[in-house]
Amino acid sequence: MTRATTGLSMRSDPRRPGGISWGPHWVKVRPRAVYGVASEEKKKKSPICTADELHYVSVPNSDWTLALWRYLPSPQSQGKPRRNHPLLLLSGVATNAIGYDLSPQSSFARYMSSQGFDTWILEVRGAGLSTYRMDFGKVKQPVDATRDSSVEHGMDGIFPSGFLEARQNSDIVSQIRDVSQRLVNIVEKGQLPVPEQLLDLQGRFFTRLEEFQKQLDLIVKYDWDFDHYLEEDVPAAMEYIRTHCKPKDGKLLAIGHSMGGILLYAMLSRCCSEGRNFGFTSIATLGSSLDYTTSKSSLKLLLPLADPAEVLNVPVIPIGALLAAAHPLASRPPYFLSWLSSQVSAQGMMNPKLFDKLVLNNFCTVPAKLLLQLATAFQEGGLRDRSGTFFYKDYLRKSNVPVLALAGDQDLICPPEAVYETAKLIPEDFVAYKVFGEPGGPHYGHYDLVGGRMVADQVYPCIIEFLNRNDVI
C-alpha cells in the first residue's frame, strides 16, 4: 500500500527498503566568522567550531549557556529558491555538533546551507561548546572532552577546580568503574568464547578515566533529563533563532537525528496536548522513534544498566569515554568488537578516517537520569515524561505538521519497524515514511542517514524535496 503524503510515499511495510538517486553534491567550507551574544569577544573562537558563526544562548532560570553553530546560505545557493524559514538541526543523545559537519566533503550542515537554508545546529546542555556559568570574556572548550591526534580538548576555565571533595571524586570514579565492568560483562556474554584481547577493554576504559576525572568538578551539575532538553533547551534555541532570522510566520524548519528526532516528536505531542502553536512549518526525523517495544533495537542489550535501584547511584555515564576505549578493538585487526562499529554505520558506508573522527570526537558524557527517562521508550506505551504519567506518542494523531520519517535498512539502534511505529500514528495526510537501503546495497546504519558515503546522492535530495514543499508562508 502506498499513500500520497507530502509529495513522497509512505510504505506500510517498514522492512521494505527504498532509495532515490540524484547526482552528487559536495560543498566547500567558506571562511569562518565569529559571532555571539552581547559581550562575547568576537576575535576569539574555539578552533573546534567549523561553522560560519558561533552563537550562545542563555537558558532561562538556568546557569547553562547553549552553543548554536550557524551556517549561512553559501554562494552555491545562488539561483536556489529564496528560503522563508531558518533550519534547526538537533543531534542524538550524548553527541555534539561535529556529527553534522565531519569534514568539508562530508557535511550535512554545509549541504543544507548550499541549498540556501540558514542552518543552525544546537548543542544542548552538557554537549560540545555549551557551557555552565559562561564568562563571555573567554573562549570556552567543550564541557565534555576527549582527545585524539587532531583535536585537543580541555576543561580549564569551565568550572572552578576542587568543587567536589577528593573522597567524592573517588566514589564517583569507583561507581563508574562498576558500570564499566557491567558493560564488559554484557559484551563478554555476547562474544563467547571471549578472546583475550577483549579483556583489555576495561583497561582501556580506565585509562580514559584519567582524562574523565578532569571533568568531575562539573559532574555535580549533570542533573538533567530529557524533559529539560524538551522544555528549556530547545525552546530557548528556537526563540533565539526566530529573533535573529525573523521568519514572517515565526516558524522554523527542523531536522532531528536519533534523540533529536525524538525531541521533535515530543514537542509536537506536547503542543497538541496543550493546544499551543507548534513553532515548526515541518520536521524531518532520521532514525527516531517514541516507541521501540516492537523492534529488535540493539539498545535493549544495555537495558540492564537502566535498573533505577543501581544506576541512580552513578550520576553520569561517560559514553564518549566508553566508545573511545572500545574503538581500537572494533576498528583494527583482529576486529573482536567489530559489531560495535555496525551500531554506528553499515559496512563500507563511511571513510575510515571520518569514522574514527566521529567516534573519538562526537560523543559526550550524559546524566544517568537522562538515559533512565529515554529507557521508557522500551516499555509499554513508549517514551513518557519524568512524572511517568504523560506518554509522548498519545497526541501525535492530532498533529498537522508535515513530517518526513526516514529509516536505514541496517539501523540496529532504531530499526525501520521502530521508525514506522511512530510514523503510523501521525495522520496520513501529514506524514511521509521512507526506508533507505537496497537488498544488494548500499545499506544504511544509524549514522549513515546523516553522513554515510551515499547520502548526497540519495538521502539529502529526498530531504530537500520535502523541505521545499513545506517552506511556505
Side-chain angles (χ1 to χ4, degrees):
M1 178 180 68
T2 300
R3 300 172 181 171
T5 55
T6 59
L8 299 173
S9 64
M10 181 169 180
R11 292 187 171 86
S12 58
D13 183 357
R15 296 166 296 180
R16 180 183 175 188
I20 330 175
S21 179
W22 275 272
H25 190 130
W26 297 113
V27 295
K28 297 180 179 180
V29 173
R30 299 183 287 110
R32 299 177 303 202
V34 183
Y35 287 80
V37 300
S39 59
E40 182 188 5
E41 294 183 13
K42 296 185 178 181
K43 293 182 179 180
K44 296 182 179 180
K45 178 185 175 185
S46 169
I48 296 168
C49 181
T50 53
D52 298 319
E53 300 176 0
L54 177 60
H55 292 246
Y56 291 100
V57 54
S58 297
V59 179
N61 303 314
S62 167
D63 289 321
W64 283 98
T65 301
L66 312 179
L68 281 166
W69 297 33
R70 186 184 190 183
Y71 300 77
L72 298 169
S74 69
Q76 288 103 324
S77 67
Q78 293 181 2
K80 300 288 193 305
R82 181 178 176 83
R83 305 303 181 183
N84 295 308
H85 302 93
L87 173 63
L88 171 63
L89 305 182
L90 299 178
S91 305
V93 63
T95 61
N96 54 42
I98 291 175
Y100 278 121
D101 191 15
L102 267 182
S103 76
Q105 292 74 36
S106 180
S107 176
F108 189 105
R110 290 285 170 192
Y111 185 95
M112 294 300 154
S113 70
S114 77
Q115 300 298 306
F117 291 102
D118 190 346
T119 305
W120 302 70
I121 308 174
L122 170 62
E123 291 187 316
V124 293
R125 66 184 70 192
L129 295 171
S130 291
T131 59
Y132 182 80
R133 291 181 179 172
M134 181 173 187
D135 176 2
F136 287 106
K138 297 180 180 180
V139 174
K140 298 301 181 183
Q141 298 297 328
V143 169
D144 188 82
T146 58
R147 285 191 179 90
D148 75 353
S149 58
S150 62
V151 180
E152 182 167 329
H153 299 186
M155 284 297 298
D156 294 341
I158 292 288
F159 201 74
S161 61
F163 190 87
L164 298 179
E165 296 294 335
R167 180 180 59 80
Q168 291 175 300
N169 289 357
S170 177
D171 289 344
I172 291 173
V173 172
S174 176
Q175 292 165 350
I176 294 173
R177 285 175 185 268
D178 291 341
V179 172
S180 74
Q181 180 61 61
R182 295 185 66 183
L183 281 171
V184 171
N185 293 340
I186 291 171
V187 170
E188 288 176 357
K189 289 179 182 178
Q191 291 287 308
L192 294 175
V194 182
E196 185 175 327
Q197 289 91 333
L198 184 62
L199 300 178
D200 187 44
L201 173 62
Q202 191 176 25
R204 293 180 184 276
F205 176 68
F206 290 166
T207 298
R208 285 279 169 174
L209 276 181
E210 294 178 5
E211 296 179 0
F212 178 70
Q213 270 190 284
K214 296 179 181 179
Q215 301 174 52
L216 288 178
D217 289 343
L218 190 65
I219 282 178
V220 71
K221 295 303 177 186
Y222 273 65
D223 186 27
W224 66 85
D225 54 24
F226 177 84
D227 287 349
H228 282 97
Y229 294 154
L230 179 69
E231 299 167 1
E232 300 179 15
D233 293 14
V234 176
M238 291 176 63
E239 182 59 30
Y240 183 90
I241 294 170
R242 276 194 293 262
T243 299
H244 276 71
C245 299
K246 296 179 173 58
K248 292 181 179 179
D249 58 2
K251 295 183 178 181
L252 280 63
L253 298 163
I255 299 174
H257 174 242
S258 195
M259 187 191 73
I262 296 175
L263 280 166
L264 294 175
Y265 282 138
M267 290 196 74
L268 294 187
S269 186
R270 274 291 192 195
C271 290
C272 286
S273 71
E274 298 171 3
R276 291 191 287 113
N277 184 294
F278 295 104
F280 297 115
T281 183
S282 67
I283 69 169
T285 66
L286 317 177
S288 305
S289 180
L290 294 174
D291 189 345
Y292 291 75
T293 55
T294 62
S295 74
K296 296 181 179 179
S297 170
S298 58
L299 290 182
K300 290 182 179 179
L301 181 69
L302 299 181
L303 285 183
L305 291 177
D307 180 356
E310 296 184 36
V311 176
L312 282 177
N313 291 324
V314 180
V316 297
I317 304 295
I319 292 177
L322 287 168
L323 288 176
H327 181 56
L329 294 177
S331 59
R332 300 182 181 88
Y335 304 106
F336 288 122
L337 292 183
S338 59
W339 63 276
L340 285 177
S341 298
S342 64
Q343 304 298 311
V344 179
S345 176
Q347 185 175 4
M349 278 298 280
M350 285 192 69
N351 176 288
K353 290 184 177 179
L354 291 181
F355 184 84
D356 288 348
K357 181 177 181 181
L358 180 74
V359 172
L360 294 174
N361 292 277
N362 189 49
F363 296 92
C364 312
T365 295
V366 294
K369 65 192 301 183
L370 167 63
L371 299 185
L372 287 173
Q373 186 176 355
L374 289 173
T376 63
F378 291 86
Q379 300 171 10
E380 184 178 356
L383 184 70
R384 63 196 71 174
D385 70 354
R386 66 169 66 98
S387 73
T389 60
F390 183 90
F391 292 81
Y392 282 110
K393 73 176 190 178
D394 284 355
Y395 289 86
L396 285 181
R397 66 186 183 278
K398 296 184 177 182
S399 175
N400 62 0
V401 174
V403 174
L404 173 65
L406 300 184
D409 66 327
Q410 289 191 3
D411 188 338
L412 304 181
I413 291 176
C414 188
E417 58 266 26
V419 176
Y420 182 77
E421 188 67 22
T422 297
K424 72 180 184 181
L425 302 174
I426 301 167
E428 62 180 54
D429 290 339
F430 296 101
V431 66
Y433 165 82
K434 186 172 182 61
V435 179
F436 279 94
E438 300 292 344
H443 299 291
Y444 284 81
H446 192 59
Y447 176 74
D448 297 327
L449 293 170
V450 175
R453 64 182 177 85
M454 298 295 293
V455 286
D457 295 340
Q458 298 184 346
V459 180
Y460 295 172
C462 175
I463 295 173
I464 293 298
E465 179 186 348
F466 172 78
L467 295 180
N468 285 345
R469 288 179 176 270
N470 295 287
D471 184 31
V472 295
I473 300 295

